[in-house]
Amino acid sequence: MKSLEQVEQTHNEHIDQYIQHVFETVKKRNPHESEFHQAVKEVLDSLIPALVQNPHYINQAILERIVEPERVITFRVPWVDDQGHVQVNRGFRVQYNSAIGPYKGGIRFHPTVNASIIKFLGFEQIFKNALTGQPIGGGKGGADFDPKGKSDGEIMRFCQSFMSELSKHIGPDIDVPAGDIGVGAREVGYLFGQYKKIRGGFEAGVLTGKGIGYGGSLARKEATGYGTVYFVEEMLKDNDLCFKDSTVVVSGSGNVSIYAMEKAMELGANVVACSDSSGYIYDKKGINLNTVKRLKEVEHKRIHEYVKEHPDAIYTDDPSGIWSVPCDIALPCATQNEIDHHSAQILVSNGVKAIGEGANMPSTHEAINLFLKENILFAPGKAANAGGVSVSSLEMAQNSARLSWSFEEVNNRLHRIMKSIYRNSKDAAETYGAPGNLVVGANIAGFVRVADAMIEQGVI
Ligand code: NDP
């Protein structure tokens, strides 16, 4: 007769095989979409303990359903450049899961955008949005359009063409896009203007990240970066560490990066390095954030310009080299897969104590496994960067109620939400037998909320 332990082991092996089967189907149905496969694998691998405790998720085919987007829209985006030439880009919107609310997720304009990138981001968004506790489903969109070097007029015409098609598929109770890489307040403004013109009405809640003068929320710009630091602060506190007097490296110099640097500095950290896609700067005495903000937010220049004004700082022509700068805390806030196994090894050998992902999926599987093996505190992006979408949801709430909260009010709410995301992820990790593993905790906590809602709504 088999012992209880053997029975349990066989049961777990069956679940493992079932998960592998779901994953193989995803790969077969979505060939050559490596980023999407990577995001799905990370979530599925975390779910074994949740499926062991909740076998009805298997009977109800929740995994098979959750990996398949409810809808994927691909469309042509034609526009006219300043020379009068017609250009054509490809637009995407994936409406992934609406079990707990209207689809919600950003729009990315970047030449690397394709179905794999948008699906990986949309899939992650389902669990991230569930973790916030807000009533928002998962979605994501974008285009393979490169805003770099484009005039203001070209950006506006592109946004108008993009929205001419997208407007058919979104609405305040249907799907509410926001910004992401390459889409900031300016682009959201052009997108909103075109939506308003097409619809013939002022539906403020259709987009978030709007300008403050027409329905935007205070503290939205700061939300993702601040939220990442709030989350990491909780994780550090639990381990008798803090930002004060620590050395911090933050990749990128865009929206998330700038406000992660700002909050880390406010908490007493010395932020010594940041980057863009061409290279990184190292300023031993501490980055001058006013210079970075002016260069990046106002003048739209490259980060190497920084050293002209701060000659003690060093510029290196290799963005991934930033991970060789010794630090206590590393905050990857630029893009996917920016920390590979090699970079992770360098961070570990230089004594890094904590990693907080401000970007989406910035660490590869191998890098994450190394951090976990070496007991480096690790805050996964899905949980740590959920501050942006949380405040987007608060923007929707303010739009519905036709009022606007003060910066302090929004920031306090953001802080409370990030603390609660941390607590829920930590508790889920403990409940499901992986104490301290916030990857498992965040994936399960987000998954359970969506899975339960899907079951209550029947097979749809
Ligand atoms: P931005 O476009 O504002 O900034 C991106 C920054 O990353 C730029 O400085 C860019 O440099 C830099 N970058 C891009 N590729 C690399 C690279 N390989 N190495 C170093 N730097 C690089 O985007 P966001 O700050 O909004 O987004 C950053 C990340 O955060 C993305 O993963 C996004 O999905 C995620 N995120 C964003 C949220 C938001 O509210 N904005 C919410 C949650 C997640 P360059 O200018 O040269 O391209």
Side-chain angles (χ1 to χ4, degrees), residues 27-347:
K27 286 206 294 191
K28 221 163 152 189
R29 270 205 186 126
N30 306 274
H32 317 301
E33 297 186 355
S34 58
E35 295 85 0
F36 177 51
H37 301 168
Q38 183 182 342
V40 170
K41 182 151 178 53
E42 188 215 281
V43 172
L44 292 184
D45 283 351
S46 306
L47 295 181
I48 296 177
L51 299 177
V52 170
Q53 290 195 25
N54 303 282
H56 59 294
Y57 292 156
I58 300 178
N59 304 338
Q60 294 284 328
I62 292 297
L63 292 195
E64 290 89 332
R65 286 199 266 158
I66 215 164
V67 295
E68 189 63 27
E70 289 176 18
R71 196 169 298 104
V72 180
I73 302 146
T74 309
F75 50 98
R76 181 172 69 200
V77 190
W79 55 283
V80 181
D81 68 19
D82 286 347
Q83 286 70 46
H85 298 134
V86 176
Q87 304 284 347
V88 178
N89 286 92
R90 180 172 286 180
F92 298 89
R93 186 73 186 166
V94 53
Q95 299 182 329
Y96 224 116
N97 192 300
S98 61
I100 60 170
Y103 311 106
K104 180 94 198 81
I107 290 177
R108 176 177 293 192
F109 291 164
H110 195 270
T112 56
V113 163
N114 57 30
S116 174
I117 297 284
I118 298 300
K119 275 150 76 180
F120 115 63
L121 290 164
F123 185 70
E124 293 264 300
Q125 198 82 39
I126 305 171
F127 308 100
K128 179 190 308 195
N129 292 2
L131 280 170
T132 68
Q134 308 284 310
I136 41 180
K140 197 82 190 189
D144 59 355
F145 170 75
D146 189 357
K148 276 200 197 95
K150 302 288 188 299
S151 70
D152 201 57
E154 289 176 323
I155 300 274
M156 181 181 75
R157 291 193 294 280
F158 179 81
C159 288
Q160 290 173 340
S161 178
F162 185 85
M163 183 52 86
S164 294
E165 179 59 33
L166 188 69
S167 64
K168 297 171 191 162
H169 310 283
I170 62 174
D173 295 315
I174 301 169
D175 183 354
V176 183
D180 190 75
I181 291 179
V183 179
R186 172 180 61 167
E187 291 74 18
V188 170
Y190 293 146
L191 293 165
F192 184 73
Q194 183 73 355
Y195 179 86
K196 189 161 61 74
K197 182 172 179 182
I198 291 170
R199 287 299 167 105
F202 195 99
E203 297 173 21
V206 71
L207 282 166
T208 59
K210 299 183 293 294
I212 303 302
Y214 63 95
S217 175
L218 289 164
R220 173 61 187 89
K221 185 174 67 172
E222 293 82 358
T224 310
Y226 278 22
T228 301
V229 171
Y230 290 148
F231 187 99
V232 173
E233 192 187 15
E234 292 305 299
M235 181 173 77
L236 294 173
K237 253 194 242 163
D238 255 357
N239 292 276
D240 297 322
L241 296 166
C242 64
F243 271 101
K244 192 161 171 28
D245 298 329
S246 61
T247 301
V248 177
V249 163
V250 185
S251 64
S253 47
N255 174 255
V256 180
S257 174
I258 285 176
Y259 293 95
M261 290 197 264
E262 183 165 280
K263 187 49 76 178
M265 286 174 185
E266 254 177 65
L267 295 179
N270 187 27
V271 180
V272 295
C274 71
S275 58
D276 62 20
S277 60
S278 310
Y280 74 94
I281 51 163
Y282 173 53
D283 194 339
K284 200 172 163 191
K285 289 192 294 245
I287 300 270
N288 183 318
L289 195 58
N290 286 336
T291 307
V292 175
K293 278 189 180 178
R294 198 192 66 246
L295 288 173
K296 287 294 178 178
E297 293 187 328
V298 183
E299 297 170 4
H300 303 289
K301 288 190 173 155
R302 308 304 296 158
I303 201 68
H304 67 71
E305 298 280 336
Y306 180 95
V307 296
K308 289 189 187 155
E309 296 174 46
H310 303 278
D312 286 346
I314 300 164
Y315 173 74
T316 307
D317 206 358
D318 163 26
S320 68
I322 195 171
W323 307 121
S324 66
V325 175
C327 62
D328 302 305
I329 302 165
L331 304 177
C333 293
T335 194
Q336 63 273 358
N337 291 330
E338 53 172 313
I339 302 186
D340 61 9
H341 189 252
H342 176 66
S343 300
Q345 274 176 324
I346 297 173
L347 280 162

